């Protein structure tokens, strides 16, 4: 077992004893078998850069406060995850080998659901599944904007700038008001929560003075233990929609049309525009289509497009609201997209109560009903050990940019012998995140290494064109952060100035998104 | 002239010499006549708690960087304003007497207007008037969400969490991407702007790592020199609307109905619900109605309500979009509110091009056409020296809360012999800011003192009921911040930990929203 850097065996052993005194031995995991579940699930199995030394499973805020105090005394680096399911970016594993993981999976209480003001308050271990079930069990006519996979954490997703798809997914705007354990073990509440007994903690997004919520996202300044999340009252009608086009180069026209429809509010949610192989990987396996070497040729992709009836690009999206408004908007959307030759738009109106019985997983996801169906895509290369790396730059929601990014990514990924698997997610009317699913067989070391290498190269290639990652894989966090170098790295220096001030012992998730404590900056 | 605290005459004089060397003497103001314009415009004239010692008028980012370096060398506190028009909260004046004001009024360039992605980039001195004119001059079919008074700064308003009224006013969501001068004179760009040449700086609201934009709002961690602001493409139709009710106690039903219509997206902008005296003060003068002692009696308010045809509560709001959608929404809104006995809803559909010719200033403001018409209200008590203090707590958008807050505020303000003048601004579907206009005659010292005293008392009274200020007047900043005391003042301690780290000399706007540098914490 790897020890954390610069921690002696004696210190580490004392820390483990004190963690055990606080939590009981059953909630301090340290055997190889216990730790296996907390590795990067897609890393080749003999690689061990990101292996933890132990995992702590606190169940209360007080236990987290005690963990932080113990870690500070012994200089032991912690790495926090909520449920640790951001698998395309490293899953539950720590940036620094030997870190002690603080897993919040057992802090999984839904603390409050308020139907009048349409919000919930949850702990970090609450998954999309859990909150969905709690809303249903309470008989609330409220919908939750969810991510693609139901096992993810509501808080964890928000803290990593994760995307969800309903109207509150636009600009990731569902989170409101946090409670945070700081590095000295004290407890802070953000926004209006900083006032004792305040009635608007989870209703108003700011407080008096600077708003700290986004400072605790994609950072290592504290451990979030509670968060408010806004819910949407049942609309009269839910209408999942599809757009399909048949030529790869229709991409630019789709994006430009979509921008206009999002800017004027006709579409107000987060669509997902998928290339043939992305949706194809959910619906089928690669060996049904091709057994040659290298990436799928265009002719095979065209065959998939036709036979699966998913086109070269297909967009899932949806409308929510009153039926007359939806009817008007659907016609407007149809007319706008059908100016593209061969484009088709279709959809179905359903009552919110009937969403769980929809057949297509995408239609359930956009309707807030969680599942694991979308996970099928990682099995693309066969076997049970499919994995992927997410490479995810942000670009203007402009056809020229979408084409330029596609050209770069397709060329590079296919150059590495892999398939170009693309999901474009317009998170607002002006920009989209290009999720590149670099899928590989984790049992195939050569393929895994190739996937890591091309993903790593893409960081700099995309930055050279003006596109930066919205979230980075453990393996390229420093490289991704290094691209944000304007003003002699002013942003990173400012973040690390804060880091040193609020976590002087440098124990909270060192290296997260490239932010290091003073004591470890040499490791970058 | 007051010197800043703990600055010797020699140091101060050296600093002024160096400021003069950097800017030229014409842009370093220090005579009593020059400084008069930079006082709190509503403070009684012989009070001098917040008088500046000098005013600097930089015109470039480099000049601001030099100012900061000089100030740090000599320990001279600076106080920045953009245009300094937040008059209800202290205007251009500094929190600490003797501070040197950095006035950004002359940094007033509109740097970019992008019609394709519907945004602008502005400097801090750009007023609503300026950006509106620049959009018009460029022939862009874009609308700007503005505040009530056109002389305000686009950036200054955003930095103080100021309210605007169009759809991007919801959750104050128009700002995207900043450039900031830090206390050491270095320059930082937030979000995607931290990457050189990034194409999504003003399009995507975050970056890689924690998002800093809201950390630079209502704080004193840097001087914002550029900001992106999102604009709205012309809708097919703009429809300003009015709701009028006749009984003071209709307030709760109006608020509860409004919440439902905002939660479901039928109304998506920031309404303004005004009591009789608020709109009455825009449309008339107090002496037309009453010359007795103390606050207006209910009988007089009822008379105003009838004769001005503005009811006991009147709400200005609006729809923007396609005509069939507006027609559906208008009918839905009308039916919902007209369940309240005597309530009336009306409105007019206009083309965006025709907004400037609308007669009612409210209908122009909600349509993005700036003016100073709304300023008439400060003349309520007659004379040319009308002033007001804004006391502005946040509450859930729930009828019970609205009634409780009105009861508290009306009782206290009238108890101080003043009129209760209320504007309720639902800044999202779940909460509203209760702007209490404590209006007084600034030439009447007894009345001015009474206004300050009652405003100050209200800070604690409102907090005791669970309502916190969204923004505080210079005179009560510390008191307002002290209410945010949860966890032994964890929020303020965290902010001041950051303050000491990023501004060790403590020169940037000390005391802003209650945040003090280490050297001045004794002054709190």
């Amino acid at each position: 077992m790897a020890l954390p850097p610069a921690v002696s065996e004696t210190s580490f052993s004392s820390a483990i004893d004190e963690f055990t005194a606080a939590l009981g031995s059953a909630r301090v995991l340290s055997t190889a078998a216990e730790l296996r579940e907390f590795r990067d699930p897609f890393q080749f199995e003999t690689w061990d850069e990101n292996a933890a030394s132990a995992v702590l499973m606190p169940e209360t805020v007080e236990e987290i406060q005690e963990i932080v105090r113990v870690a500070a005394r012994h200089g032991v680096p912690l790495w926090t995850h909520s449920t640790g399911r951001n698998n395309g970016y490293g899953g539950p594993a720590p940036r620094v080998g030997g870190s002690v993981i603080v897993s919040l999976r057992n802090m999984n209480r839904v603390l409050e659901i308020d139907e009048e003001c349409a919000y919930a308050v949850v702990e970090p271990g609450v998954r999309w599944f859990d909150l969905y079930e709690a809303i249903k069990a309470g008989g609330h006519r409220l919908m939750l904007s969810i991510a693609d996979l139901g096992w993810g954490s509501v808080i964890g997703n928000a803290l990593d700038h994760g995307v969800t798809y309903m109207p509150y997914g636009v600009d990731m705007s569902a989170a409101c008001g946090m409670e945070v354990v700081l590095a000295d073990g004290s407890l802070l509440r953000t926004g209006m929560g900083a006032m004792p007994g305040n009635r608007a903690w989870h209703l108003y997004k700011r407080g008096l003075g600077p708003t700290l919520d986004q400072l605790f996202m994609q950072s290592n300044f504290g451990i979030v233990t509670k968060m408010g999340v806004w819910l949407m009252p049942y609309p009269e009608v839910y209408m999942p929609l599809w757009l399909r086009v048949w030529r790869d180069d229709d991409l630019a026209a789709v994006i430009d049309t979509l921008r206009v429809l999002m800017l004027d509010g006709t579409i107000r949610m987060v669509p997902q525009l998928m290339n043939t192989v992305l949706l194809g990987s959910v619906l089928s396996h690669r060996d049904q289509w091709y057994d040659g070497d290298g990436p799928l040729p265009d002719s095979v992709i065209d065959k998939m497009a036709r036979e699966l009836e998913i086109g070269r690009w297909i967009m899932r999206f949806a409308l929510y609201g009153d039926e007359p408004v939806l009817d008007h908007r659907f016609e407007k959307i149809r007319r706008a997209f059908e100016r593209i030759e061969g484009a088709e738009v279709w959809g179905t109106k359903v009552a919110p109560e009937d969403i769980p019985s929809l057949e297509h997983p995408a239609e359930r996801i956009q309707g807030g009903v969680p599942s694991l169906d979308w996970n099928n895509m990682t099995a693309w290369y066969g076997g049970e050990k499919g994995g992927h790396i997410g490479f995810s730059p942000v670009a203007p929601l402009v056809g020229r940019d979408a084409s330029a990014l596609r050209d770069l990514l397709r060329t590079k990924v296919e150059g590495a012998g892999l398939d170009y698997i693309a999901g474009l997610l317009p998170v607002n009317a002006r920009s989209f995140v290009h999720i590149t699913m670099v899928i590989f067989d984790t049992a195939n070391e050569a393929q895994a290494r190739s996937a890591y290498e091309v993903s790593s190269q893409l960081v700099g290639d995309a930055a050279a064109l003006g596109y930066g990652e919205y979230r980075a894989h453990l393996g390229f966090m420093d490289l991704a952060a290094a691209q944000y170098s304007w003003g002699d790295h002013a942003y990173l220096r400012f973040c690390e100035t804060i880091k040193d001030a609020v976590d002087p012992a440098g124990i909270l998730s060192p290296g997260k998104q490239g932010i290091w404590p003073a004591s470890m900056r040499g490791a970058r």
Side-chain angles (χ1 to χ4, degrees), chain A:
Chain A
M1 186 185 67
L3 285 184
V7 177
S8 71
E9 254 179 81
T10 320
S11 287
F12 184 75
S13 162
S14 302
I16 293 290
D17 288 346
E18 291 173 36
F19 291 140
T20 307
L23 303 179
S25 57
R27 295 194 281 127
V28 179
L29 317 181
S30 57
T31 68
E34 289 171 323
L35 296 182
R36 184 171 305 277
E37 180 186 345
F38 296 91
R39 297 193 53 155
D40 179 342
F42 303 147
Q43 215 175 42
F44 191 71
E45 51 190 37
T46 63
W47 304 353
D48 60 359
E49 286 90 346
N50 305 107
S53 56
V55 177
L56 311 179
M57 306 287 294
E59 290 174 1
T60 67
V61 171
E62 292 73 20
E63 287 177 355
I64 297 172
Q65 293 177 279
E66 182 57 20
I67 287 169
V68 164
R69 289 189 200 107
V70 171
R73 273 202 296 277
H74 299 287
V76 171
L78 303 173
W79 182 267
T80 307
H81 65 237
S82 298
T83 58
R85 300 297 187 188
N86 58 338
N87 288 343
Y89 303 93
R95 172 68 186 82
V96 173
S99 293
V100 172
I101 287 177
V102 182
S103 174
L104 304 179
R105 289 183 188 174
N106 291 346
M107 288 192 57
N108 57 4
R109 290 177 304 165
V110 175
L111 299 169
E112 185 182 355
I113 298 176
D114 184 298
E115 182 148 351
E116 188 174 52
C117 286
Y119 71 92
V121 183
V122 296
E123 291 187 330
V126 171
R127 303 167 307 160
W128 305 110
F129 285 131
D130 302 321
L131 183 50
Y132 172 76
E133 290 300 332
I135 292 166
K136 214 168 61 171
H140 303 293
R141 296 176 59 84
L142 296 169
M143 290 168 80
L144 170 67
S145 184
I146 65 173
D148 284 306
L149 300 178
W151 62 14
S153 157
V154 176
I155 287 184
N157 188 73
L159 296 189
D160 272 334
H161 296 177
V163 177
T164 68
Y165 298 99
M166 300 198 333
Y168 287 123
V170 176
D171 287 316
M172 299 96 163
S173 55
C176 185
M178 294 174 171
E179 182 182 274
V180 186
V181 171
L182 300 177
D184 64 358
S186 67
L187 205 55
L188 170 146
R189 289 184 173 176
T190 67
M192 285 291 163
M195 173 179 282
N198 189 285
R199 293 180 49 73
W201 184 16
H202 303 299
L203 306 178
Y204 178 74
K205 290 219 165 162
R206 303 182 180 191
L208 184 76
T211 306
L212 303 179
D213 296 58
Q214 295 190 2
L215 197 67
F216 293 111
M217 297 180 182
Q218 285 204 359
S219 73
N220 46 19
F221 302 150
I223 298 177
V224 175
T225 52
K226 288 185 184 68
M227 191 185 81
V229 54
W230 286 357
L231 306 170
M232 186 173 82
Y234 272 15
E236 182 180 290
V237 179
Y238 164 60
M239 188 174 192
L241 298 171
W242 295 91
L243 159 73
R244 179 173 57 194
V245 295
W246 293 98
R247 290 169 311 232
D248 197 27
D249 281 340
D250 288 335
L251 175 62
V254 168
I255 290 289
D256 285 326
T257 305
L258 182 60
R259 183 187 65 253
V260 172
L261 293 169
M262 290 184 75
L263 276 173
D264 79 2
T266 301
I267 298 173
R268 187 172 167 76
M269 46 80 67
V270 178
Q272 190 172 122
L273 177 62
M274 299 166 273
N275 72 355
T276 314
V277 192
L278 178 65
L279 189 54
S281 74
V282 176
L283 304 175
S284 67
H285 291 284
R286 192 176 200 270
D287 57 15
Q288 297 169 238
W289 305 103
Y290 192 62
D291 61 3
D293 281 341
L296 297 183
D298 262 300
S299 60
V300 173
I301 298 174
D302 278 331
K303 183 164 157 24
M304 285 177 68
R306 281 193 309 275
E307 295 191 9
L308 293 172
E309 300 181 316
I310 58 179
R312 282 302 294 256
W313 291 97
I314 185 161
M315 188 167 78
R316 64 178 222 201
F317 59 124
L319 296 170
Y320 311 81
D322 294 348
E323 189 162 12
V325 174
L326 264 56
D327 289 344
H328 171 80
R329 291 190 163 165
F330 176 72
E331 275 311 306
K332 181 172 177 175
I333 290 166
R334 199 185 52 71
R335 281 198 310 273
F337 281 119
E338 289 185 2
R339 282 186 213 119
I340 302 166
E341 193 191 326
E344 299 143 290
V345 175
W346 70 97
T348 333
K349 290 187 270 187
V350 294
E353 294 79 359
D354 297 331
I355 299 172
S357 55
L358 287 167
E359 194 185 339
H360 202 297
E363 301 191 342
R364 280 180 269 117
I365 290 166
Q366 295 176 127
V369 178
S371 71
L372 293 178
D373 297 338
W374 216 249
N375 205 29
N376 193 41
M377 61 175 69
T378 54
W380 179 237
Y381 285 102
E384 290 188 5
K385 300 214 161 185
H388 73 276
I389 295 169
F391 174 73
S392 311
V394 175
L397 190 60
V398 171
R400 299 183 303 280
D401 288 283
S403 299
L405 202 43
R406 177 206 56 190
D407 292 347
L408 168 72
L409 296 170
R410 186 170 179 188
T411 305
K412 293 281 179 172
V413 171
E414 292 189 349
L418 298 164
D419 294 324
Y420 168 57
I421 306 182
L424 280 60
L425 281 56
V427 293
N428 63 41
R430 295 168 175 82
S431 62
F432 69 94
V433 179
H434 185 305
I435 309 283
T436 320
M437 300 286 289
V438 185
I439 292 183
F440 55 95
D441 178 352
T442 61
N444 178 342
E445 183 165 8
Q447 197 180 41
R449 182 124 4 235
S450 187
Y452 275 76
E453 269 165 23
V454 69
S455 301
S456 166
Q457 285 163 17
L458 282 170
V459 173
D461 293 340
L465 296 183
Y467 308 116
E469 275 203 283
Y470 98 116
R471 177 179 190 176
H473 187 282
L474 283 185
F476 335 113
M477 271 184 183
D478 284 324
L479 181 62
Q483 311 305 311
Y484 291 78
S485 63
W486 193 88
D488 191 20
H489 299 271
Y491 170 75
L492 198 56
R493 279 186 288 119
F494 190 82
C495 289
E496 292 189 339
T497 301
I498 293 177
K499 177 68 175 170
D500 291 342
V502 303
D503 178 15
I507 51 161
L508 298 182
S509 298
K512 173 82 177 165
Q513 304 304 349
I515 301 171
W516 291 94
S519 60
M520 291 193 188
R521 260 165 231 159
R524 173 152 44 206

